[in-house]
Amino acid sequence: MNTQDRFSANSAALRANNGTVRIQQNLDIRKIHVAPGQESGFALAGIWADTQTVPDGHLAVQSTVEIEGQAKISDISAFTPTSAASYGIYASYGSHVTVKQGTTIRNISASANSSVAVGVFAGYGGIIELDHSVSISNISADSLSYAVASVSGGKVFINQSQSPSKVSIDQDLLSMGRNSAIEANFMTNDSVFNGLTLWTLNNLSEIDDDEGNEISAPLGKITLQFANGATWNVRSSNALLGTLTLEKGIVNLGTNISSNQSPSIRFMVGSLSGQNLSLIHI
């Protein structure tokens, strides 16, 4: 699908409401945008699945999107005066999106006084499963941007089968709200995560101001595994409220610290495991 049409609020190239969509081949979605000068309040997505209310006396059917092949989603952009949001994949209210043979999401952007851009978003009980190779890059917004976000009970699983496929994520992960979770497995020497693991919108300052005290009760969980030379580049102070498994994986700390700055950063992990723990470079 290749489109440059102007969309109304909360629109997507592929949208499922209270039903099931199955695609047995590959899916390619490109160039969805809201041009400058349009009304505000837009939310755009390549794939959007949610469960909407239905008339009294009828039970809502949770939405399901299943893609048997690969999914490629790129160039989703919203530019409006006051508020805008762009997503590669969006799942909420108990909906379930599955891509079985690889996912590429890139160039997701939003520009407004209040703007959000997310490559993969699961919220309010929504579940997203992206198996085998995954690439997420160039996610940007004037206000908030994340490669992957799970909020209010949403869950995202990346390469859950732990296949020997390249996984590349270039931007932060956010898991916020009780029962929210992100799990990602980086299993090859060319797999890489460039970003931080966040649990609130401002937790970077909370880490710096913690002064050695324990962080408050976790409101979201992130589980990461790096194996066979896979790399996590951590640019600044970071806390992973979950489990980090290293099986000959590499963690590089302070990758964005310049020579005239203090090389000291804080790196906290809820649980560290692995039979072959690798060296953590500073």
Side-chain angles (χ1 to χ4, degrees), residues 132-185:
H132 297 286
S133 64
V134 173
S135 176
I136 303 173
S137 62
N138 198 19
I139 313 299
S140 62
D142 295 340
S143 301
L144 301 171
S145 60
Y146 310 99
V148 180
S150 64
V151 303
S152 301
K155 293 177 172 59
V156 178
F157 301 96
I158 294 176
N159 193 22
Q160 192 173 23
S161 66
Q162 301 184 19
S163 73
S165 304
K166 180 179 179 179
V167 173
S168 177
I169 299 177
D170 191 13
Q171 184 54 288
D172 299 335
L173 309 180
L174 170 70
S175 185
M176 182 175 69
R178 195 166 301 279
N179 297 321
S180 300
I182 297 172
E183 176 186 310
N185 294 293

Side-chain angles (χ1 to χ4, degrees), residues 6-262:
R6 293 176 178 176
F7 286 77
S8 61
N10 297 352
S11 294
L14 172 60
R15 182 160 188 174
N17 296 121
N18 305 340
T20 299
V21 176
R22 290 189 176 92
I23 297 176
Q24 296 184 346
Q25 299 179 350
N26 297 334
L27 178 67
D28 192 351
I29 296 173
R30 288 176 283 174
K31 295 183 180 179
I32 303 175
H33 75 276
V34 176
Q38 300 299 301
E39 62 181 278
S40 295
F42 276 94
L44 298 181
I47 298 173
W48 187 302
D50 62 7
T51 302
Q52 294 184 332
T53 57
V54 295
D56 292 342
H58 295 81
L59 295 176
V61 178
Q62 293 180 338
S63 297
T64 300
V65 176
E66 298 179 357
I67 301 172
E68 296 292 333
Q70 300 179 2
K72 296 181 180 180
I73 301 170
S74 64
D75 303 303
I76 313 292
S77 60
F79 299 90
T80 63
T82 58
S83 63
S86 295
Y87 306 94
I89 300 176
Y90 178 103
S92 66
Y93 297 107
S95 59
H96 196 156
V97 177
T98 303
V99 182
K100 296 185 178 181
Q101 297 299 327
T103 305
T104 300
I105 298 173
R106 61 184 179 87
N107 300 340
I108 310 299
S109 60
S111 180
N113 289 336
S114 176
S115 59
V116 177
V118 184
V120 178
F121 176 91
Y124 315 103
I127 299 173
I128 298 175
E129 297 181 82
L130 309 178
D131 208 2
H132 297 286
S133 64
V134 173
S135 176
I136 303 173
S137 62
N138 198 19
I139 313 299
S140 62
D142 295 340
S143 301
L144 301 171
S145 60
Y146 310 99
V148 180
S150 64
V151 303
S152 301
K155 293 177 172 59
V156 178
F157 301 96
I158 294 176
N159 193 22
Q160 192 173 23
S161 66
Q162 301 184 19
S163 73
S165 304
K166 180 179 179 179
V167 173
S168 177
I169 299 177
D170 191 13
Q171 184 54 288
D172 299 335
L173 309 180
L174 170 70
S175 185
M176 182 175 69
R178 195 166 301 279
N179 297 321
S180 300
I182 297 172
E183 176 186 310
N185 294 293
F186 302 79
M187 305 303 295
T188 63
N189 61 4
D190 58 351
S191 293
V192 62
F193 170 36
N194 299 310
L196 305 178
T197 53
L198 313 178
W199 72 92
T200 68
L201 300 182
N202 64 339
N203 70 297
L204 291 180
S205 60
E206 292 182 19
I207 294 173
D208 292 335
D209 295 340
D210 183 59
E211 296 182 353
N213 298 320
E214 292 186 1
I215 298 171
S216 58
L219 296 178
K221 182 179 181 180
I222 298 177
T223 302
L224 301 179
Q225 179 177 196
F226 297 87
N228 307 312
T231 302
W232 180 8
N233 294 315
V234 185
R235 66 179 181 270
S236 61
S237 295
N238 185 78
L240 173 64
L241 302 184
T243 300
L244 173 62
T245 300
L246 297 175
E247 299 285 355
K248 296 183 180 179
I250 300 169
V251 178
N252 292 317
L253 299 180
T255 54
N256 276 10
I257 294 179
S258 63
S259 59
N260 60 353
Q261 292 177 303
S262 170

